[in-house]
Amino acid sequence: MPSTLIKNIGAIIGVQSKPSSFKKGAAMSVVETIENAYILIEGDTISAFGSMENMPERADIIIDAEAGLVMPCWCDSHTHIVFAEGREGEYVDRLKGVSYEEIAKKGGGILNSANKLHLKSEDALYESAFNRLNEVIGMGTGAIEIKSGYGLSTESELKILKVIRRLKENSSATIKSTFLGAHAIPMQYKEDRQKYIDLVIHEMLPLVAGEGLADYCDVFCDKGFFTVSESDQILKSAAKYGLKAKIHANELAISGGVQVGIANNAISVDHLEAIGQEEIDALKYADTIPTVLPSCSFFLHIHDAPARRMIDEGLGIAIATDYNPGSSPSGNIPLLMALACNNMRLIPSEAFNGVTINGAFAMELGESHGSISIGKKANLIITKAIPSLDYFVYAFGSNHIHKVLLNGKVVNNA
Ligand code: NIG
Ligand code: FE
């Protein structure tokens, strides 16, 4: 097992002693730091770290951080990066005043993406998704959840999930796969919604679970998409196959999505742009992780989730990109942190915990990812020589990333 030593680190940002913990409330603003430090990696695992004066003398490979910061790679717990094409035409329509919901009602939006995806081969989808994945790895992402949901037929949903399986096999990023057959009701089922839901439950789910193609099952529980009782049916059926729940909830309206997510022991409830006190209170007594998506609010020009209030009331949140062609065509986590700070009024340390350790927990990777801890995966970002995490977020237009290591190996070099 080769050892790698990173020396002359300006500061290690995001240290945690094991077992590492999900950060809630005031703890979200705490980021443990060691200045003037080294990290030792054995194989793909962090084996030691500390201040430079205690640095080991030997290692097979030595990387000089040249006073850059070292942080854990980002853990992006919500994306849809397997899609056929961008939807820049709809973007321009929205800029001219047509709403996201109007576009969706006319068969645009998710249905537009599904029509395009239907025509693409698995290989073509794999190639474009692999490129997107490499792009976000270059921006520091080391673990990522990827959803299906632009298929909306058995054949196309399986095609997407097989693409995700190939990404898992071939990428050095850690990947979780989510089945989102209930992303929208296809046009041909508009008059018989239950028929589509039955297809999801009785045809898609058994095949997805039978082939081990997904870790989670998600539903878009919102106004104009799936109702609370439809979501409940689907998530309960998924649980019978051992698929835990995640849920898109309360993006467009107070939908009851948070409550049905919690009732189904969802790992996370995501979006939350339209939540009130009742939902916040319900989350206080649940293990379900509220996940906010600031670049979706930015791009759709809708309310931000009340992340500041949620943290002030003691909740811990994960922050994810939602990288997809309709509501967030960006997987850029450094930019996402700037949006979370500026638009949601978080401070950089809270944004950092949202996209690292809390994001890891939102993919059930909290024990192996999301912090600099002995025994965790050596998924690390080395920055250029910048003064601090605050500066990293503040100077939002610059690329501060110098190197990214996944599983202990450098995968990019800026
Ligand atoms: O998370 N809200 C539902 N699904 C995706 C976007 C869907 C789309 O517009 O393509 C989201 O925002
Ligand atoms: Fe999404």
Side-chain angles (χ1 to χ4, degrees):
M1 241 187 346
S3 58
T4 303
L5 177 68
I6 309 176
K7 66 176 189 180
N8 296 329
I9 299 171
I12 308 178
I13 310 284
V15 173
Q16 271 205 1
S17 47
K18 293 253 292 174
S20 57
S21 54
F22 181 71
K23 299 217 169 196
K24 290 184 180 183
M28 274 206 75
S29 63
V30 179
V31 172
E32 283 174 55
T33 298
I34 303 175
E35 287 183 5
N36 193 23
Y38 79 90
I39 296 179
L40 183 68
I41 299 164
E42 305 275 356
D44 65 355
T45 306
I46 298 169
S47 63
F49 55 83
S51 60
M52 275 298 283
E53 63 236 38
N54 301 323
M55 185 175 82
E57 274 164 29
R58 305 172 46 93
D60 300 316
I61 301 162
I62 295 184
I63 298 173
D64 190 336
E66 294 167 10
L69 310 175
V70 173
M71 314 190 251
C73 280
W74 320 128
C75 297
D76 191 351
S77 63
H78 181 143
T79 81
H80 313 239
I81 62 167
V82 184
F83 58 86
E85 287 174 22
R87 302 214 305 263
E88 58 279 14
E90 292 180 4
Y91 168 57
V92 176
D93 289 343
R94 281 196 296 105
L95 293 175
K96 291 180 180 162
V98 190
S99 77
Y100 182 73
E101 282 162 284
E102 280 162 348
I103 291 170
K105 256 193 206 132
K106 287 189 192 126
I110 296 167
L111 299 182
N112 176 5
S113 283
N115 290 337
K116 303 246 169 68
L117 185 137
H118 188 66
L119 304 171
K120 288 261 186 224
S121 69
E122 187 188 308
D123 284 347
L125 288 170
Y126 172 75
E127 199 182 318
S128 62
F130 192 65
N131 289 338
R132 285 178 204 115
L133 184 57
N134 285 335
E135 184 206 5
V136 299
I137 289 171
M139 294 188 280
T141 299
I144 186 168
E145 181 256 18
I146 310 173
K147 301 173 194 293
S148 70
Y150 292 122
L152 308 182
S153 69
T154 305
E155 191 193 337
S156 293
E157 283 296 309
L158 290 176
K159 184 163 70 177
I160 302 174
L161 292 168
K162 285 178 185 160
V163 168
I164 302 173
R165 179 164 68 191
R166 282 169 69 182
L167 295 172
K168 283 189 185 189
E169 285 162 2
N170 296 314
S171 173
S172 355
T174 305
I175 298 174
K176 292 280 183 159
S177 166
T178 299
F179 168 56
L180 176 57
H183 198 190
I185 300 272
M187 274 301 180
Q188 66 270 34
Y189 295 95
K190 279 276 178 274
E191 303 309 318
D192 191 357
R193 304 170 59 85
Q194 190 60 41
K195 200 165 169 199
Y196 183 66
I197 293 159
D198 286 342
L199 187 78
V200 169
I201 292 177
H202 299 298
E203 188 173 291
M204 296 187 199
L205 262 175
L207 289 168
V208 169
E211 293 193 41
L213 283 167
D215 302 297
Y216 304 114
C217 178
D218 195 339
V219 177
F220 186 10
C221 178
D222 221 317
K223 189 173 145 220
F225 291 85
F226 292 85
T227 66
V228 165
S229 82
E230 291 166 350
S231 305
D232 193 51
Q233 277 182 60
I234 295 164
L235 296 180
K236 287 212 161 49
S237 309
K240 288 192 192 130
Y241 290 101
L243 294 183
K244 293 185 189 169
K246 276 183 163 274
I247 192 164
H248 280 70
N250 297 62
E251 174 185 359
L252 307 169
I254 300 217
S255 60
V258 168
Q259 287 85 344
V260 75
I262 293 172
N264 283 283
N265 300 314
I267 301 294
S268 68
V269 284
D270 303 29
H271 272 288
L272 315 180
E273 291 87 350
I275 62 168
Q277 193 60 41
E278 217 174 291
E279 284 74 21
I280 293 179
D281 287 341
L283 286 161
K284 288 180 190 164
Y285 301 100
D287 289 330
T288 299
I289 299 174
T291 299
V292 300
L293 312 168
S295 53
C296 171
S297 296
F298 165 76
F299 193 68
L300 294 187
H301 215 259
I302 59 174
H303 274 294
D304 275 291
R308 175 75 274 144
R309 186 165 131 214
M310 289 157 73
I311 296 171
D312 289 343
E313 294 204 25
L315 292 178
I317 58 166
I319 308 174
T321 64
D322 197 13
Y323 191 176
N324 77 75
S327 67
S328 178
S330 162
N332 183 333
I333 292 227
L335 174 63
L336 188 75
M337 290 162 79
L339 294 174
C341 291
N342 252 59
N343 295 348
M344 296 174 156
R345 312 314 285 174
L346 304 195
I347 57 172
S349 50
E350 292 169 326
F352 174 85
N353 282 319
V355 298
T356 56
I357 190 65
N358 284 5
F361 275 99
M363 294 184 275
E364 297 183 293
L365 293 172
E367 292 311 314
S368 53
H369 292 69
S371 63
I372 312 283
S373 311
I374 290 173
K376 280 200 175 182
K377 260 220 185 309
N379 284 2
L380 303 169
I381 296 167
I382 306 178
T383 74
K384 296 169 188 168
I386 55 169
S388 62
L389 173 62
D390 290 348
Y391 184 89
F392 184 93
V393 178
Y394 146 86
F396 73 93
S398 303
N399 175 18
H400 303 297
I401 296 179
H402 179 41
K403 284 188 167 71
V404 177
L405 282 77
L406 292 183
N407 309 312
K409 293 204 184 79
V410 175
V411 290
N412 96 310
N413 242 329

